[in-house]
Amino acid sequence: MDLKGKNCLITGGSRGIGRFMALHFADLGANVAITYASSSKAAEEVVESMKSKGVHAKAYQADAVKFEKADEVIQSIASEWGSLNVLVNNAGITRDNLILRMSEDQWDEVINTNLKSIFNYCKAAAKPMMRAKGGSIINVGSVVGLTGNAGQSNYAASKAGIVGFTKSYAKELASRGIRANVIAPGYILTEMTENLSEKVLESIKSETPLGRPGEPEEVANTAAFLASDLSSYITGEVIRVDGGMAM
Ligand code: NDP
């Protein structure tokens, strides 16, 4: 697989799945910009590591919820590197609670961070991708958006919303050569999942036909395929990377 010459932006690239995607894309020859919320040191380490692979790399501190910031980041990449070819909307959070106990803030924070951010970045990316006569957008959903999960109504709603948004975007922009797809990971080993109780972990494993959690690299491999020209006839698709959990 080859991403040489592609200019990519990955939101939430300082840690977890986004960090692995950034490093993998750089390994494949892409220039990669990442955004993050507050982990400046971690983000700079990712940038240094990517630069050592001989590609252009950059980090932006940019709260994904902020509409104007998305446009600013994307315009900066397009003007510095000449174009934007691949956008991965990966930044996401959880604020779990049962609906009866969920606060308005917990609902709003998750919907804004996980779903509004997708609108912000996809809208901002449309013009530079149209100018480049094509592009690939990869939105990171979750199997929870397909199945629902008790205690995660806010998260599940945000991730289900991503599927509807992405299919609409794919239909609106296909004629411009822009593809948009969703990756729906299952249970992946990152900081987001490190605080789950043993009981929850065991039940996740028992519900996963492949019998183990996923590694961030396994999601990064799928993202690289969708970013590359090997997936040139795939748009509006939802690809689960979940060990069979939601089949
Ligand atoms: P992590 O918590 O490990 O990393 C989250 C990343 O998102 C960090 O880089 C963080 O930046 C960034 N981020 C969070 N909020 C914002 C914000 N407001 N603005 C900009 N960046 C932000 O998460 P994962 O790697 O586990 O998850 C990545 C994606 O994969 C998420 O969308 C998640 O919902 C999805 N996913 C994860 C699964 C899993 O099992 N891990 C399963 C299914 C889906 P900073 O370091 O500065 O905080």
Side-chain angles (χ1 to χ4, degrees):
M1 202 147 29
D2 183 5
L3 296 180
K4 276 195 196 74
K6 290 199 190 286
N7 299 324
C8 308
L9 170 62
I10 300 172
T11 68
S14 51
R15 296 184 285 118
I17 293 170
R19 174 176 172 276
F20 278 91
M21 285 179 183
L23 297 174
H24 189 42
F25 281 25
D27 275 333
L28 295 171
N31 300 317
V32 185
I34 59 169
T35 68
Y36 62 97
S38 57
S39 311
S40 321
K41 191 163 176 283
E44 281 313 322
E45 280 170 14
V46 176
V47 166
E48 286 316 309
S49 175
M50 290 193 289
K51 281 184 177 164
S52 72
K53 300 170 195 289
V55 299
H56 295 304
K58 218 174 156 169
Y60 296 87
Q61 181 168 29
D63 181 350
V65 175
K66 304 273 185 251
F67 180 75
E68 287 88 7
K69 192 75 190 170
D71 206 40
E72 207 180 286
V73 167
I74 285 182
Q75 282 194 28
S76 158
I77 295 166
S79 67
E80 275 188 45
W81 293 350
S83 63
L84 177 74
N85 310 108
V86 176
L87 164 66
V88 184
N89 281 303
N90 164 77
I93 57 166
T94 52
R95 296 288 182 267
D96 298 351
N97 219 336
L98 295 170
I99 294 168
L100 287 176
R101 293 192 197 132
M102 187 173 291
S103 66
E104 186 182 1
D105 281 350
Q106 286 176 318
W107 175 268
D108 287 345
E109 206 182 337
V110 169
I111 297 295
N112 286 336
T113 307
N114 296 5
L115 183 57
K116 180 171 183 266
S117 63
I118 303 263
F119 167 70
N120 295 345
Y121 279 84
C122 284
K123 182 173 166 67
K127 278 191 184 152
M129 286 189 175
M130 278 159 59
R131 274 198 300 275
K133 305 222 179 310
S136 174
I137 290 187
I138 300 154
N139 293 327
V140 180
S142 166
V143 287
V144 166
L146 309 176
T147 61
N149 195 23
Q152 289 198 304
S153 59
N154 50 359
Y155 185 76
S158 72
K159 296 300 189 178
I162 287 174
V163 174
F165 177 87
T166 306
K167 290 184 177 184
S168 307
Y169 193 92
K171 286 185 176 178
E172 286 189 24
L173 289 154
S175 63
R176 307 299 191 121
I178 301 173
R179 301 182 293 108
N181 294 289
V182 175
I183 294 180
Y187 165 51
I188 310 295
L189 291 168
T190 68
E191 279 176 43
M192 185 178 270
T193 49
E194 73 185 3
N195 291 326
L196 296 179
S197 69
E198 266 313 306
K199 196 172 152 218
V200 173
L201 288 185
E202 278 316 309
S203 86
I204 290 171
K205 279 187 203 162
S206 70
E207 286 162 18
T208 304
L210 288 181
R212 64 170 177 85
E215 299 291 340
E217 291 91 331
E218 295 177 295
V219 184
N221 286 336
T222 309
F225 167 67
L226 288 174
S228 79
D229 298 337
L230 292 179
S231 60
S232 53
Y233 204 49
I234 300 179
T235 195
E237 187 56 272
V238 179
I239 301 186
R240 290 182 295 104
V241 182
D242 68 345
M245 187 190 253
M247 75 176 140

